[in-house]
Amino acid sequence: MSLLDNSIARLEFKNLICHKRIIEEGKDWHRAVFSDLELRLDRDSGFPCVFSKNAFRKQLLKFIFVENVEPGGIQHLAEGLREYVDISNHWEGTLDTAYPLLVAFSLDAINAETVEGYHAFGWEVLQKLHEVDSAPWPEDVANDPESQHWSMCFNGMPLFFNMSNPAHQVRQSRNLGKHFILVINPRERFDIFAGNNVGGRKVRSNIRSRIVRYDESPHASQLASYGAGGIEWWQYGLVEKNVERTDKCPFMFMKSRS
């Protein structure tokens, strides 16, 4: 057991759930989410994100299940996300001590008909999280989403949010089953494992080639490296077609967080 595993074992989590707890204690819809994930991350050899597949196989994933986005539901999500940031602050720098977070929303919370509808819901959730976040915004992260140096932050940590939903018919790599799911990782892990360097560019090239094969469509033209000219928020929710995007981010920064 690693030092991180020992540290995590000493912590008590009220909102973060591991594989074993879903199987032993999960509600029916929790198990349905897990079953959908198992089909893609374990049984589907072509699924393009090798990092997610590795995390699922080694049971590294952490889960939060959200029944609704009323104040109580957002509080539950925020408390779980704070627990996740606590884990991430103890990261040892290896893939086997990296714990991706999957946040699944019940069909009562969101059951949209379009990709755009799911994305609008996702940004509503991120806005509500920002509004209940008492931690100051990191000084080295831009607070304007149109900046190439912006990242969504929570509890003082820059995070990357992948919005996956069942309305995706073209970008199947962003479809993890019947429920809307946020796949969350600390921003720094992308910079370390897939950053703008020789090794990182090779990793990104490999994953994007796998995306093209899996989706049978060119990868999204908005995919880019952080701080290298790309717009981060466009990458949270990918549109189905490769068209020029001129839309503005719905996220509104609260000046009191600076």
Side-chain angles (χ1 to χ4, degrees):
M1 181 177 289
S2 71
L3 291 175
L4 178 58
D5 289 329
N6 282 322
S7 297
I8 290 174
R10 290 194 296 269
L11 297 175
E12 293 186 4
F13 300 118
K14 296 181 179 179
N15 302 285
L16 289 186
I17 298 176
C18 64
H19 286 220
K20 184 178 180 181
R21 281 187 61 193
I22 296 174
I23 295 170
E24 294 179 350
E25 307 171 17
K27 297 180 179 180
D28 287 346
W29 78 268
H30 299 179
R31 296 181 185 182
V33 168
F34 187 85
S35 179
D36 283 344
L37 289 170
E38 186 176 30
L39 284 174
R40 286 156 178 79
L41 301 183
D42 185 34
R43 300 181 187 176
D44 189 344
S45 61
F47 192 81
C49 184
V50 293
F51 295 122
S52 295
K53 289 172 68 67
N54 175 73
F56 186 89
R57 179 172 57 85
K58 295 185 176 181
Q59 299 188 13
L60 300 175
L61 297 177
K62 302 299 179 186
F63 298 84
I64 300 174
F65 294 95
V66 183
E67 297 282 354
N68 59 65
V69 290
E70 300 301 319
I74 293 297
Q75 180 181 357
H76 168 70
L77 172 55
E79 289 174 355
L81 195 51
R82 291 188 189 99
E83 292 174 356
Y84 179 68
V85 170
D86 287 343
I87 287 179
S88 301
N89 281 328
H90 290 85
W91 186 43
E92 294 178 350
T94 67
L95 279 177
D96 286 345
T97 57
Y99 296 87
L101 173 64
L102 274 73
V103 178
F105 294 82
S106 75
L107 296 181
D108 290 332
I110 177 63
N111 189 13
E113 296 181 356
T114 65
V115 170
E116 293 76 14
Y118 279 109
H119 288 173
F121 173 82
W123 284 106
E124 177 187 347
V125 170
L126 265 59
Q127 186 67 47
K128 289 181 177 181
L129 283 173
H130 178 58
E131 291 170 1
V132 300
D133 183 16
S134 60
W137 196 266
E139 293 182 358
D140 58 345
V141 178
N143 56 43
D144 179 2
E146 306 306 326
S147 167
Q148 63 176 321
H149 300 291
W150 177 87
S151 174
M152 176 65 186
C153 299
F154 188 83
N155 202 28
M157 177 174 284
L159 301 166
F160 185 90
F161 290 76
N162 170 318
M163 299 184 185
S164 292
N165 70 77
H168 274 299
Q169 299 301 312
V170 176
R171 304 205 185 283
Q172 286 291 311
S173 53
R174 288 286 182 114
N175 183 334
L176 294 176
K178 296 180 291 293
H179 295 77
F180 178 73
I181 294 178
L182 293 174
V183 183
I184 305 172
N185 283 281
R187 167 75 261 160
E188 67 169 343
R189 292 184 192 164
F190 291 91
D191 299 333
I192 292 172
F193 293 119
N196 193 26
N197 52 54
V198 174
R201 287 191 290 271
K202 184 176 180 179
V203 169
R204 291 201 312 276
S205 176
N206 175 52
I207 292 177
R208 290 173 186 177
S209 294
R210 290 173 60 90
I211 289 173
V212 170
R213 291 194 297 271
Y214 191 79
D215 292 345
E216 298 183 346
S217 175
H219 68 71
S221 56
Q222 284 80 32
L223 294 180
S225 296
Y226 180 74
I231 300 298
E232 190 80 348
W233 76 268
W234 278 340
Q235 300 177 68
Y236 287 14
L238 298 180
V239 295
E240 289 281 72
K241 297 181 180 179
N242 274 336
V243 295
E244 182 180 0
R245 292 185 65 171
T246 58
D247 49 326
K248 299 296 183 182
C249 184
F251 177 81
M252 298 293 292
F253 178 75
M254 297 177 62
K255 292 184 179 180
S256 61
R257 292 290 182 267
S258 60

